[in-house]
Amino acid sequence: MTGTEQAQQTKQGRMGRLLRDKDQLSLQSMIIPGILFVFVFTFIPLYGVLIAFKEYNIVTGIKGIFEAEWVGLANFKEFVNDINFWNMLKNTLGINLLSLLITFPFTILFAILLNEVTSAKFKKLTQTVTYLPHFISWSIFGGLVISILSPSTGVVNYLLQKLGIIDQAIHFLGNPDYFWLLAVLTNLIKELGWGAILYLAAIAGIDQEMYEAAYMDGATRFQRIWHITLPSITGTIVILLVFQISNILNSGFDQFFVLQNPLNIDASEVIDTYVYKVGLQEFRMEYATAVGLMKTVIALFLLYLANFIAKKITGKGIF
Amino acid sequence: MVKDNSLSDRIFNICNITFMLILIVLTLYPFWYSIIGSFNTGTDYARGGVYLWTRDFTLSNYKALFSDNALIKAFGVTISRTIIGTVTHVLFTSMFAYAFSRPNLKLKNAYATIGLMSMYLSGGLIPYFILLNSLGLYNSFLVYIIPALFSFWNVILFRSYFAELPDALIESAKIDGAGEYRIFFTMILPLSKPVMAAIALFTAVGHWNAYYDSMVYTLGSELQTVQLYILKLIQSTEAALLLANMSTSTAAGQGAVTTTTLQLAAMVAASLPIIVIYPFVQKFFIKGMLIGSVKG
């Protein structure tokens, strides 16, 4: 069947043909379960966001979402006036910005340096080892961090004391002042290798003749990196930067939930852990939904903004 | 790579390799640290200094750990959800992706829009919780399986692989009278092993490492996953203390097991499967990641 034939048919004729077409029916029957899935697990919860503007009771279930009484912006007003809210917003933004400043450039640097390793075997070994922590859950990795930083038996305090940098053991995770940096650095160690994988793929795609020609012309190694490698992966850098910025409120529940304790909570409470606690431990569901909704709206706005800026500066964006 | 043997180049190479070695040590050391600690007696460990090698060897930590029925049960839950969850996810999602990759599929644009919306929109934790509760999935093993059946992100990965398969193959099967289901199960699935392996592995790791759904959508210890068990052990010293005391009264002798060494042993036991399997399947993970980046 060609495109013109198809266009000539009336809509009714198409439906009739669709029903008679066995292959088309099979294909549709493969698609429908997935579409139903999205309706149930994405669209219904989207509708459930309405409870942010309502007075909701969990025992009323889904039906209650429709029947609950409207309270307008009361839930939003409540969190704007909540001191905890501003504190955890500060933590979320602060940790993510710090991470953007440290993790993002360091990952690019790592990818470029790894590419400069001349021994293929050693390169492979480094990749294998640095990818590994990505596959370990935060409940385990966080447990390792806690035991290594322990003031009594942890190796970090031991080394710092031996080197004479500190006199007394520091309870790193018990002090809010250290938390932001600790969160960023532990995440860096966990995700550095895996984060470099797309850069490495982009670098592998660069034409080797460019490097040879540059070498013939007397370019030093640093000049070759600066003038060939870096410009060749700008596209990848921009795309990943846009994603990173749009993710700035998604600090990830796992890391913070595992590493936080009553002593560092002032610096370690982020939006995701806050929503969990307020919503499912204190059962203030409308309030938690309102916070979650605000997060989604800001995230979409950031994605749009980052993409807009990326397009303006480099002419490349993701949409 | 350009061959270059100038002095500055050799210095650069030495610095670079040293830098990489430091990273390797930094990455591996935490795992080593937990392994040697988990084989050390508790009271001896508490004196500090167990940093490079086990000082007072014992197996009591592991004995205590595996004498706890809750952990055995948690391993059962995690293993079942990993196997069932991975198989069902791969079948459900790849079948959708196959139909989605066929050029003659009608309403494709509408399906693509719905799929993309599912990737970027979310109602957030609370509405999702209310939904699962209303569906009767709360505190049911199926809460690990059904909400994880489908991912449009993986549909995109599958589709970009299916699109590379020669169209003539499918056309000739159709001429021979094979229907779409038969083509999918007897031709496409066997031809797509690399992408299946990649997505199955990502899914399996996700299931193995999951604790959030176990913590939020189940109650008590019946459906607890291994990762949640460990998290509880780490976060509540009382839970670990209870287990440690139980073991000292039954076996080993006073002080062989403390909360700290018990926690280390639990972390080792839960991460071991990944650390052992990972080097052999690494190439599939990388392939999976790169399929996604080309088109996505």
Side-chain angles (χ1 to χ4, degrees), chain B residues 47-74:
Chain B
R47 282 169 39 223
V50 182
Y51 302 135
L52 290 174
W53 199 252
T54 303
R55 195 165 50 205
D56 187 9
F57 181 85
T58 179
L59 287 175
S60 323
N61 296 308
Y62 288 96
K63 279 185 192 145
L65 192 66
F66 284 98
S67 71
D68 186 10
N69 274 332
L71 177 67
I72 308 290
K73 208 178 265 170

Side-chain angles (χ1 to χ4, degrees), chain A residues 1 6 14 18 21 23-24 26-35 37-46 48-49 51 56 58 61-62 65 106 110 113-118 122 124-137 139-141 143-144 146-148 152-155 158 189 192 194 197-198 201 208 211-212 215 221 224-225 243 253-254 257-258 260 275-276 279-280 283 285 288-289 296 300 303, chain B residues 1-5 9 12-13 16-17 19-21 23-24 26-31 33-34 45-49 51 92 95-96 98-100 102 104-107 111 114-115 117-118 120-135 137 146-150 174 178-181 184 202 205 209 211-212 215-216 227-228 230-231 234-235 260 264 267 270-271 274-275 278-279 282 285-286 289-290 293:
Chain A
M1 188 170 66
Q6 209 173 6
R14 278 215 302 264
L18 184 76
D21 185 346
D23 280 352
Q24 188 62 232
S26 306
L27 289 181
Q28 295 293 342
S29 71
M30 292 174 170
I31 291 279
I32 296 304
I35 297 298
F37 180 97
V38 175
F39 265 100
V40 173
F41 289 102
T42 305
F43 291 170
I44 293 181
L46 272 182
V49 165
I51 65 172
Y56 177 76
I58 176 72
I62 288 189
I65 296 175
F106 199 77
F110 170 69
L113 288 179
L114 185 60
N115 183 60
E116 296 293 325
V117 169
T118 39
F122 184 67
K124 186 99 209 303
L125 173 78
T126 314
Q127 278 175 290
T128 305
V129 170
T130 52
Y131 292 169
L132 176 66
H134 172 78
F135 297 98
I136 302 292
S137 72
S139 52
I140 293 173
F141 199 78
L144 295 178
I146 292 169
S147 57
I148 281 178
S152 55
T153 54
V155 69
Y158 170 79
I189 292 181
L192 177 67
W194 192 250
I197 202 167
L198 291 178
Q208 288 301 312
Y211 288 102
E212 271 150 40
Y215 177 62
R221 191 135 173 196
R224 293 196 297 265
I225 293 174
F243 274 123
F253 178 89
D254 294 2
F257 192 72
V258 176
Q260 67 183 202
V275 167
Y276 168 72
L280 294 180
F283 286 102
M285 294 198 156
T289 309
T296 311
L300 284 175
L303 176 68
Chain B
M1 212 66 223
V2 180
K3 282 261 173 269
D4 188 344
N5 271 319
D9 221 60
F12 176 89
N13 277 335
N16 198 13
I17 287 178
F19 173 71
M20 293 298 160
L21 280 174
L23 275 181
I24 290 178
L26 262 180
T27 314
L28 286 182
Y29 181 74
F31 296 103
Y33 178 83
S34 63
Y45 180 87
R47 282 169 39 223
Y51 302 135
F92 192 92
M95 197 161 80
F96 182 97
Y98 168 71
F100 194 63
R102 300 297 300 140
N104 56 331
L105 176 77
K106 301 233 163 86
L107 299 172
Y111 297 148
I114 293 172
M117 284 171 82
S118 78
Y120 290 105
L121 298 177
S122 136
L125 172 64
I126 307 299
Y128 197 70
F129 179 85
I130 295 170
L131 171 77
L132 294 185
N133 207 11
S134 307
L135 291 175
L137 288 172
I146 293 177
L149 272 179
F150 184 74
K174 274 194 181 163
E180 296 286 357
Y181 277 97
F184 174 69
F202 276 113
V205 170
N209 283 341
Y211 74 84
Y212 187 71
M215 178 173 82
V216 177
Q227 305 291 339
L228 182 60
I230 290 175
L231 188 68
I234 294 168
Q235 290 201 325
T260 325
L264 291 173
M267 290 188 258
S271 53
I274 288 191
I275 294 176
Y278 162 75
Q282 194 203 157
F285 283 119
I286 296 170
M289 184 77 184
L290 295 181
S293 68

